[in-house]
Amino acid sequence: MSSGQDLEQRAEHRARAEFGAASGPGKQIDDLLIAGLGAQIATAAVLDCGGGTGRYAVPLAVAGASVTVVDVSADALATLHRRAVEADVAERVRGVQGDVEALADAAVGGPFDLVLAHGILDAVDRPAPTFAGIVASVRPGGLLSVMIANPVAAVLARALTGDLIGAEHEVELLDDGSGESATPHGVLSLCAQHGLAVEHQSGIGIFRDLVPGQALEAPGARDALTRLESACAQRAPFAQIAGRVHVLARRPTSG
């Protein structure tokens, strides 16, 4: 295993821990999504594309929303059901096994007040058509939440571990301004193409993968890291080097 691959695995492990925690960026996104739904949270219909295990679906259901999760993995959907039962919201969480790239064929219903596409555009072969299908499931005036990996962070991560050829490849992704690439720039371009108004954009995981693990064992260090991430999530140039970028956009009410 190369050092670059090792770094990516460590980053993924830390990301899972971060988003499984009750605080930190994951909790901040929960709060942002719930605030975006506002007073209609108790009657809101939410679609989570590829959110199989329920990391976002369950907190939204706990807040009062009815959530449909579409995922290709039966195992992930089984975990979703277990988590929903444990949180006593099983009646508000529905799992549908299906392919997000063919969302129209997945019988998910809709349209929805809020649609989540977290980590989906990174994983599909054709981001633009997939994005169009996801947007079509958002009701007029509804919200779309997108989480996308940031190749800027990947460039830095690879360079820091000596994988300079890999870093060059990541730079090439940055230069793709077609709107077809699974990058933050590509997502913003797709939002503009579909007439979505971006209401929020923030960097997620700016410092977390740069801080030595031992440093986080110091008293108060984890809380300080959470505050630092929050303070810099929308501040340049820090937000531009975050591991992931979160975009919250609203579909127009007409047109």
Side-chain angles (χ1 to χ4, degrees):
M1 178 182 294
S2 71
S3 57
Q5 290 173 321
D6 183 56
L7 180 65
E8 288 177 353
Q9 286 196 353
R10 293 200 306 271
E12 175 66 15
H13 175 76
R14 297 174 82 172
R16 288 179 184 276
E18 165 193 324
F19 284 96
S23 60
K27 177 62 164 57
Q28 292 166 16
I29 292 174
D30 289 341
D31 293 343
L32 179 67
L33 297 177
I34 291 169
L37 291 171
Q40 67 171 337
I41 184 71
T43 59
V46 177
L47 174 65
D48 190 349
C49 298
T53 61
R55 166 58 193 89
Y56 292 98
V58 171
L60 285 165
V62 169
S66 296
V67 188
T68 298
V69 178
V70 58
D71 199 287
V72 296
S73 171
D75 289 341
L77 292 174
T79 300
L80 165 71
H81 177 70
R82 184 174 65 252
R83 293 182 68 176
V85 169
E86 291 172 352
D88 198 26
V89 292
E91 74 283 359
R92 291 201 294 273
V93 177
R94 180 171 71 107
V96 176
Q97 189 170 10
D99 188 349
V100 174
E101 291 186 79
L103 194 57
D105 300 327
V108 295
F112 296 89
D113 301 295
L114 169 66
V115 177
L116 279 59
H118 293 178
I120 287 299
L121 299 179
D122 314 76
V124 300
D125 293 327
R126 299 194 302 156
T130 302
F131 186 89
I134 291 172
V135 170
S137 67
V138 183
R139 70 163 178 80
L143 289 167
L144 172 63
S145 176
V146 180
M147 187 84 71
I148 190 80
N150 184 7
V152 171
V155 172
L156 293 174
R158 291 186 181 278
L160 287 171
T161 59
D163 182 11
L164 300 181
I165 293 176
E168 284 184 310
H169 174 68
E170 299 292 348
V171 170
E172 292 172 1
L173 292 179
L174 289 173
D175 291 334
D176 184 352
S178 66
E180 294 290 332
S181 60
T183 66
H185 178 80
V187 168
L188 294 176
S189 177
L190 288 168
C191 285
Q193 290 174 32
H194 288 272
L196 303 181
V198 175
E199 295 189 349
H200 176 89
Q201 180 181 343
S202 61
I204 305 296
I206 302 168
F207 306 103
R208 193 164 296 269
D209 295 324
L210 302 177
V211 177
Q214 186 176 0
L216 292 177
E217 300 306 318
R222 294 183 185 276
D223 290 340
L225 177 59
T226 296
R227 293 194 300 270
L228 183 62
E229 292 276 0
S230 178
C232 296
Q234 294 179 275
R235 180 178 296 184
F238 305 109
Q240 283 71 36
I241 64 169
R244 284 143 293 147
V245 172
H246 178 232
V247 174
L248 190 64
R250 190 175 297 276
R251 186 176 178 182
T253 55
S254 62

